[in-house]
Amino acid sequence: MPPKPLRRAGAARSQRTSPEGGAGTASPPGGTRLEVGEAEFVALCDALKAPDSVREKAWMTYESLAAADGASAYNKKKKETWGVCIFIVAIDLDEMTFTFTELLKSLSISVCTFFQFLKEVDVNMDTVSTKVDSTVSRLKKKYDVLLALYHKFERTCGLIYLEQPSSEISAELSSVLVLKNYWITFLLAKGKVLQMEDDLVISFQLLLCVLDYFIKLSPPAMLKEPYKSAVTALTVNGSTRTPRRGQNRNARASKQIDTDTKVIEILCKEHDCNLDEVKNVYFTSFIPFLNSLGVVASNGLPEVDVLSKQYDELYLKNKDIDARLFLDHDETLQPDVIACSQLERTPRKNNPDEEVNHVLPQTPVRAAMNTIQQLMMILNSATDKPSDTLIAYFNNCTVNPEDSILKRVESLGHIFKKKFAEAVGQGCAEIGSQRYQLGVRLYYRVMESMLKSEEERLSVHNFSKLLNDNIFHTSLLACALEIVMATYGRTASQSDGTSAETDLSFPWILNVFDLKAFDFYKVIESFIKVEPSLTRDMIKHLERCEHRIMESLAWQSDSPLFDLIKQSKEREGQTDQPEPTSTLNLPLQHNHTAADLYLSPVRSPKKKASGHPQSGTSNPDAQPSATSQTQKPQKSTSLSLFYKKVFRLAYLRLHTLFFRLLSEHPDLEPLIWTLFQHTLQNESELMRDRHLDQIMMCSMYGICKVKNVDLRFKTIVSAYKELPNTNQETFKRVLIREEQYDSIIVFYNLVFMQKLKTNILQYASNRPPTLSPIPHIPRSPYQFSNSPRRVPAGNNIYISPLKSPYKFSDGFHSPTKMTPRSRILVSIGETFGTSEKFQKINQMVCNSESHVKRSAEPSDAPKPLKRLRFDIEGQDEADGGKHLPQESKFQQKLAEMTSTRTRMQKQKLNDGNDTSANEEK
């Protein structure tokens, strides 16, 4: 049945009256109310109290969807489609008269199902606006956090409370009532304390505070060990629980502050959570929240109805998810396994150039806590003051930078704390201070490593020029803080290793320090190379930051990149390019460090060749004022390296999109790449305040157009949305001219085509432009020490490096408690039976003729790896060490495998230092 047209209610229709009771003349309470669509659509709008403006536009949106290709799916799910249309329009018009949960209830669908259907509806670029995208992203992140926390909450309460407590416990203190009190109190605290409610770590720490508070109020007879003993000890020591009735909240809260911390210590140990951080949250955020409640106690517990009423106010104000329904396992909040898996898989497409990292499944909270533990282990030996080694470097400088460094760290700390509190919540300022101190410790640690590396490379001790460079220090500190913020900012949807943005996500730190993205980019590679303890996730995060800078952030109008491009064009000959195309098909190899990039431009090659290597004190500054007016502009090392990386990233993204869309036309890829590369190099103004992928999609569409290949922009965009790390704003909101934005199609017609029409038409002629070389694309330039290493044989055998032997809750220097079996585990992909399987692996490896990669320097060449052997008794072939006589033959064989794995890991690190031989292979 086709959609019904707009219609007005006739005189015979029942009319809504004005608030005063009479028939109004204005809309919406007017005498002739606008009604559109079918009766069920009208009923849905009435249930949601949608105003006329929303009804009319929502029905028009539905009509456009129903008229599009493949509209049969929408006709089968009319009510869901109507709900999506009403939701979209209400957000766009800022006329939300209903909550998100009310909408889900009206449609009888779950959160995940709704999001998946919304994604399917957005077949055209203009169906869902970027404003709606932003709202949906916020809702999904909040739902993910709440779902993860509720599951953790249920499991934790099961470990704390007895299922059937003794009969002496009042019925009012049943487990159901306790859970309800806990959860609603937590929701209220989370809503009032945190402005940024998608912060999983602080939310979980706040949940632990709630658990601690209520455990202390619970009768010991309700509790399991060790909580029962802890609460009993509080009673014996005089820090008793508060009276059952009649005592006001302020008095109870003040007593809580003075009580023993045994319960919170147990909770932190059980969940591998930092005790100091949780205490900070407790005293700076949770206690003030309790004092603000002002509710009457009942059996030592807050009144559920009072708490629920206060939560109602927050829920109706935010118009989002009623998280109390988790307690009832409401169908609207239950995860739909199929729908949710499809949503989570969208941004995580297989990338052929990215190493596959098999991660054991973890709950989101456990993954977040483990990530924080890894950071703490890295910083265990670091301090928040310069070390003696750093002080020595400072003293060797012509101008001692120590005072300026300390003052900078202090002043930026005040700025960071203020901005953190503004983003997260004013009660979380001290949490911001804790995060900042961790960043400072990493900052000093990496600075020391950088200077040691530079000293070895240049054989100099005076780094006055570099260490007195404000931008270098601000960038290095920002990079250290970005690692900390990313570690703590892990969201509930990141358990699979994907990235998910929060309010504190990159480039938040750049805005806090007023730092240009191009300046920040210069420190990333050196930061990774000199800090070997960074985890794979940390390295991948920094690499993603580098990509975002190359894609768009470095191309913002106020970026120093455009000044360098301008200087490059003013160099000798007037035709100089930032990076010659002749170098594209060469491996990306360079010896430049952060010091080179911050002190770039460097001397011209001719002058530099005749002298000694330049130290950190003799390179000219990057500032334009440092170049004499009588000198010719010098070549910028940072610009040259930046373009090399941009070209390789650009081609990699183009190749991925091309493979999805035009694999049947392989002859078009070099043409599209040539146009793409020409635009980046010669028409850099087209990148100003735009995104690399916008130029990529326009290049693809333009070449297909002149080559008469049928490829619609809609098809390009649909494929683009499936690429990893993409944002819908990239194609929905493109700069057309100053402060005017439109879709990418409009950009192509009004800007891109107008600028490059002559060039594009050349590809249709008999004399097309000379093709640009295809860039040499290696795998990630950064080594991942945690990745499984393939045994050199071409067989499907991998050896993984040993995981960290330390456990946070046992102290940084305490080995993880492991059984003899769990210390060394071997997996062949199936159940062990007999020794024949070991012999089969041994035969596969022994048949290998492959040789191990060697370092470029003969003196450092590692010895060939020994083949895996499982038939040598009593001696490890690798190191000649003798085994203890009481060890079993199986243990000896496993020890041999471990020794071989350790050697391969060491050799991998050696391979990482080889920049030329490895890449050419």
Side-chain angles (χ1 to χ4, degrees):
M1 181 174 175
K4 294 183 179 179
L6 301 176
R7 66 180 190 273
R8 287 196 176 272
R13 292 185 182 275
S14 60
Q15 301 177 1
R16 295 192 179 185
T17 60
S18 65
E20 289 77 13
T25 58
S27 180
T32 56
R33 181 179 181 85
L34 180 69
E35 292 188 5
V36 294
E38 301 175 15
E40 292 182 9
F41 175 80
V42 175
L44 179 60
C45 290
D46 289 342
L48 298 174
K49 301 181 177 64
D52 284 349
S53 55
V54 171
R55 295 170 184 244
E56 182 175 353
K57 191 170 181 181
W59 184 256
M60 292 172 63
T61 303
Y62 170 69
E63 283 185 316
S64 65
L65 289 173
D69 296 336
S72 57
Y74 306 129
N75 291 328
K76 292 178 181 178
K77 297 182 177 180
K78 278 187 178 181
K79 191 171 184 179
E80 291 87 341
T81 308
W82 291 336
V84 165
C85 293
I86 294 170
F87 176 75
I88 291 171
V89 172
I91 292 175
D92 281 333
L93 299 181
D94 287 323
E95 295 194 48
M96 286 286 289
T97 55
F98 50 88
T99 69
F100 185 56
T101 292
E102 288 172 346
L103 176 63
L104 297 178
K105 286 282 191 180
S106 298
L107 302 177
S108 300
I109 60 175
S110 68
V111 173
C112 287
T113 303
F114 180 87
F115 287 149
Q116 179 61 25
F117 193 69
L118 177 63
K119 178 186 171 187
E120 294 170 2
V121 165
D122 190 22
V123 290
N124 297 312
M125 291 176 287
D126 56 352
T127 304
V128 178
S129 67
T130 55
K131 184 177 180 180
V132 175
D133 286 334
S134 177
T135 302
V136 169
S137 176
R138 181 185 64 82
L139 283 170
K140 187 177 186 306
K141 285 185 288 188
K142 185 169 184 177
Y143 169 74
D144 288 338
V145 168
L146 288 169
L147 180 66
L149 290 173
Y150 184 75
H151 285 166
K152 189 73 172 178
F153 168 73
E154 273 195 322
R155 290 192 297 269
T156 303
C157 286
L159 298 174
I160 296 173
Y161 286 95
L162 296 170
E163 293 182 8
Q164 293 181 338
S166 60
S167 57
E168 65 186 72
I169 303 300
S170 168
E172 295 180 64
L173 294 176
S174 65
S175 59
V176 175
L177 179 62
V178 167
L179 288 178
K180 195 169 185 179
N181 269 277
Y182 277 35
W183 184 243
I184 297 179
T185 301
F186 165 68
L187 293 177
L188 193 56
K190 181 173 177 288
K192 289 194 172 185
V193 170
L194 298 180
Q195 294 171 200
M196 194 181 72
E197 294 191 68
D198 58 0
D199 192 305
L200 179 64
V201 174
I202 299 181
S203 295
F204 178 62
Q205 292 170 341
L206 196 57
L207 178 60
L208 292 184
C209 294
V210 173
L211 291 172
D212 170 81
Y213 176 75
F214 278 103
I215 288 172
K216 291 173 182 177
L217 293 177
S218 302
M222 290 183 64
L223 304 172
K224 296 180 180 179
E225 293 293 351
Y227 303 99
K228 181 177 181 179
S229 297
V231 171
T232 303
L234 290 179
T235 305
V236 172
N237 293 334
S239 298
T240 57
R241 289 176 289 110
T242 57
R244 294 291 177 95
R245 296 181 185 274
Q247 188 171 12
N248 66 47
R249 177 56 55 97
N250 289 346
R252 299 211 326 270
S254 63
K255 280 199 172 186
Q256 293 279 338
I257 298 176
D258 299 326
T259 57
D260 197 300
T261 59
K262 185 63 177 176
V263 174
I264 200 71
E265 288 174 3
I266 295 172
L267 287 169
C268 289
K269 184 175 181 179
E270 289 295 318
H271 297 93
D272 293 324
C273 208
N274 187 295
L275 177 61
D276 290 335
E277 291 183 357
V278 177
K279 283 182 178 179
N280 194 340
V281 173
Y282 192 96
F283 292 118
T284 63
S285 299
F286 184 61
I287 292 299
F289 159 73
L290 289 178
N291 292 335
S292 70
L293 282 184
V295 296
V296 179
S298 173
N299 290 334
L301 299 174
E303 291 282 0
V304 175
D305 292 341
V306 176
L307 292 176
S308 191
K309 184 177 180 180
Q310 291 196 29
Y311 176 74
D312 251 332
E313 295 176 4
L314 279 176
Y315 159 61
L316 294 175
K317 176 183 176 182
N318 295 329
K319 292 184 169 56
D320 50 19
I321 298 169
D322 187 350
R324 291 169 298 187
L325 296 179
F326 279 112
L327 292 165
D328 303 325
H329 297 93
D330 190 271
E331 61 178 9
T332 62
L333 296 181
Q334 295 308 301
D336 184 317
V337 177
I338 297 177
C340 286
S341 63
Q342 289 174 343
L343 277 172
E344 292 172 0
R345 195 165 58 239
T346 300
R348 193 61 183 165
K349 300 301 173 182
N350 290 331
N351 190 333
D353 294 287
E354 183 176 315
E355 292 186 39
V356 177
N357 184 34
H358 299 286
V359 181
L360 293 176
Q362 302 180 87
T363 65
V365 174
R366 169 61 59 190
M369 295 301 107
N370 287 347
T371 305
I372 294 172
Q373 290 175 39
Q374 291 171 332
L375 175 66
M376 292 299 185
M377 290 177 62
I378 293 174
L379 299 179
N380 184 41
S381 60
T383 64
D384 55 5
K385 299 292 182 184
S387 65
D388 292 340
T389 303
L390 272 180
I391 296 296
Y393 280 118
F394 297 162
N395 291 333
N396 285 333
C397 292
T398 306
V399 178
N400 193 314
E402 183 176 357
D403 288 343
S404 64
I405 288 174
L406 294 176
K407 289 178 181 178
R408 184 185 299 106
V409 168
E410 183 181 3
S411 63
L412 292 179
H414 293 310
I415 296 172
F416 181 90
K417 181 178 178 179
K418 177 183 177 183
K419 295 293 185 181
F420 185 91
E422 289 175 358
V424 181
Q426 291 302 324
C428 300
E430 289 307 313
I431 300 174
S433 292
Q434 284 185 325
R435 306 270 173 94
Y436 185 76
Q437 289 307 312
L438 291 176
V440 169
R441 288 161 65 181
L442 184 58
Y443 160 70
Y444 285 130
R445 175 187 168 101
V446 174
M447 188 197 306
E448 182 175 326
S449 298
M450 279 188 176
L451 294 177
K452 287 179 180 178
S453 177
E454 288 295 287
E455 186 177 25
E456 293 175 3
R457 184 174 74 102
L458 301 174
S459 300
V460 296
H461 308 284
N462 186 345
F463 296 102
S464 185
K465 191 80 170 179
L466 178 66
L467 291 178
N468 283 284
D469 188 297
N470 177 61
I471 295 178
F472 164 71
H473 283 290
T474 306
S475 301
L476 183 59
L477 179 56
C479 195
L481 283 166
E482 182 57 33
I483 288 290
V484 174
M485 300 305 290
T487 299
Y488 279 89
R490 188 183 183 95
T491 66
S493 58
Q494 276 184 279
S495 55
D496 61 349
T498 62
S499 60
E501 292 189 6
T502 67
D503 291 344
L504 301 181
S505 295
F506 186 80
W508 179 82
I509 191 65
L510 302 186
N511 298 326
V512 170
F513 288 167
D514 193 22
L515 183 65
K516 303 303 181 188
F518 183 75
D519 290 324
F520 178 83
Y521 138 84
K522 299 175 188 177
V523 83
I524 294 176
E525 185 170 340
S526 289
F527 193 103
I528 293 172
K529 289 182 176 179
V530 302
E531 181 47 75
S533 299
L534 294 180
T535 65
R536 176 190 174 91
D537 285 343
M538 294 174 185
I539 294 174
K540 292 296 292 181
H541 176 75
L542 287 183
E543 188 176 22
R544 178 59 195 143
C545 292
E546 185 180 58
H547 287 179
R548 288 193 62 186
I549 291 171
M550 293 188 287
E551 290 168 357
S552 61
L553 297 177
W555 301 98
Q556 293 174 350
S557 287
D558 58 351
S559 172
L561 173 63
F562 288 102
D563 293 332
L564 290 177
I565 293 175
K566 181 180 179 182
Q567 293 172 22
S568 174
K569 292 180 179 180
E570 292 173 352
R571 290 183 70 235
E572 187 175 2
Q574 299 294 319
T575 58
D576 188 59
Q577 298 175 330
E579 181 59 26
T581 56
S582 59
T583 65
L584 285 176
N585 55 358
L586 299 177
L588 179 61
Q589 48 185 319
H590 68 90
N591 296 317
H592 300 303
T593 63
D596 295 328
L597 302 185
Y598 283 100
L599 301 177
S600 168
V602 298
R603 299 190 179 197
S604 63
K606 292 182 180 179
K607 293 181 181 180
K608 190 174 182 179
S610 63
H612 297 288
Q614 302 300 312
S615 73
T617 63
S618 58
N619 282 321
D621 222 340
Q623 315 304 328
S625 59
T627 303
S628 172
Q629 295 181 357
T630 61
Q631 294 178 331
K632 295 176 181 178
Q634 298 170 330
K635 185 174 181 179
S636 169
T637 301
S638 58
L639 179 62
S640 175
L641 181 60
F642 179 78
Y643 258 95
K644 285 180 180 179
K645 289 189 173 186
V646 166
F647 286 152
R648 283 157 177 80
L649 175 64
Y651 176 73
L652 183 61
R653 294 187 69 75
L654 172 64
H655 179 72
T656 306
L657 185 61
F658 184 90
F659 181 78
R660 292 174 179 269
L661 293 171
L662 296 166
S663 56
E664 297 179 357
H665 302 274
D667 55 311
L668 292 184
E669 186 183 34
L671 301 181
I672 298 171
W673 166 241
T674 300
L675 175 59
F676 190 11
Q677 188 271 332
H678 165 83
T679 306
L680 293 175
Q681 181 148 293
N682 300 292
E683 303 292 346
S684 55
E685 281 298 315
L686 282 178
M687 279 294 296
R688 188 182 290 272
D689 294 323
R690 296 190 180 98
H691 195 287
L692 186 72
D693 293 346
Q694 294 165 355
I695 307 299
M696 173 185 71
M697 288 185 277
C698 288
S699 299
M700 179 175 286
Y701 182 77
I703 293 298
C704 289
K705 199 78 171 172
V706 297
K707 287 297 183 179
N708 296 317
V709 174
D710 185 19
L711 182 65
R712 300 181 181 181
F713 238 126
K714 175 181 174 181
T715 307
I716 295 175
V717 166
S718 297
Y720 174 77
K721 287 192 292 187
E722 301 299 315
L723 296 183
N725 300 314
T726 57
N727 189 316
Q728 298 204 35
E729 188 167 325
T730 303
F731 54 83
K732 290 182 177 180
R733 189 174 185 271
V734 189
L735 178 66
I736 306 302
R737 55 182 64 91
E738 187 175 359
E739 298 184 358
Q740 180 186 343
Y741 294 84
D742 213 313
S743 71
I744 191 168
I745 298 175
V746 177
F747 167 72
Y748 176 86
N749 290 326
L750 299 185
V751 182
F752 187 86
M753 187 61 181
Q754 299 304 317
K755 186 73 173 179
L756 293 166
K757 185 175 183 178
T758 302
N759 186 277
I760 293 174
L761 292 177
Q762 290 179 11
Y763 292 88
S765 66
N766 296 327
R767 301 181 64 183
T770 303
L771 298 179
S772 298
I774 299 297
H776 179 273
I777 305 294
R779 285 186 179 271
S780 169
Y782 309 117
Q783 295 290 328
F784 302 118
S785 60
N786 292 334
S787 302
R789 183 77 165 171
R790 187 166 186 167
V791 175
N795 299 309
N796 194 24
I797 301 176
Y798 293 83
I799 298 180
S800 297
L802 288 171
K803 298 296 185 285
S804 169
Y806 300 108
K807 184 175 173 66
F808 179 83
S809 60
D810 296 327
F812 291 126
H813 296 290
S814 301
T816 304
K817 294 179 176 62
M818 301 178 73
T819 64
R821 179 180 178 277
S822 63
R823 277 197 174 276
I824 306 174
L825 294 176
V826 182
S827 175
I828 309 182
E830 52 184 300
T831 307
F832 272 74
T834 62
S835 61
E836 281 83 2
K837 290 173 181 171
F838 280 115
Q839 294 172 359
K840 186 176 180 181
I841 297 176
N842 187 46
Q843 182 179 5
M844 290 169 62
V845 178
C846 288
N847 288 338
S848 168
E849 295 296 329
S850 301
H851 295 283
V852 180
K853 295 179 180 180
R854 297 177 181 273
S855 172
E857 299 181 16
S859 61
D860 295 331
K863 295 180 180 180
L865 291 177
K866 299 288 185 181
R867 291 167 180 160
L868 292 176
R869 298 293 297 275
F870 300 96
D871 53 357
I872 298 179
E873 296 185 25
Q875 182 174 355
D876 186 337
E877 189 176 313
D879 55 17
K882 299 288 183 180
H883 293 293
L884 296 177
Q886 65 267 27
E887 286 187 327
S888 68
K889 182 177 179 180
F890 182 72
Q891 288 175 316
Q892 295 169 13
K893 292 175 180 177
L894 293 181
E896 293 163 15
M897 292 181 65
T898 305
S899 177
T900 302
R901 176 170 62 181
T902 303
R903 283 201 314 280
M904 293 189 72
Q905 184 177 359
K906 290 180 178 178
Q907 182 175 320
K908 180 181 177 183
L909 295 176
N910 291 334
D911 289 345
N913 297 325
D914 177 13
T915 58
S916 56
N918 284 357
E919 286 184 340
E920 290 178 356
K921 289 182 181 180

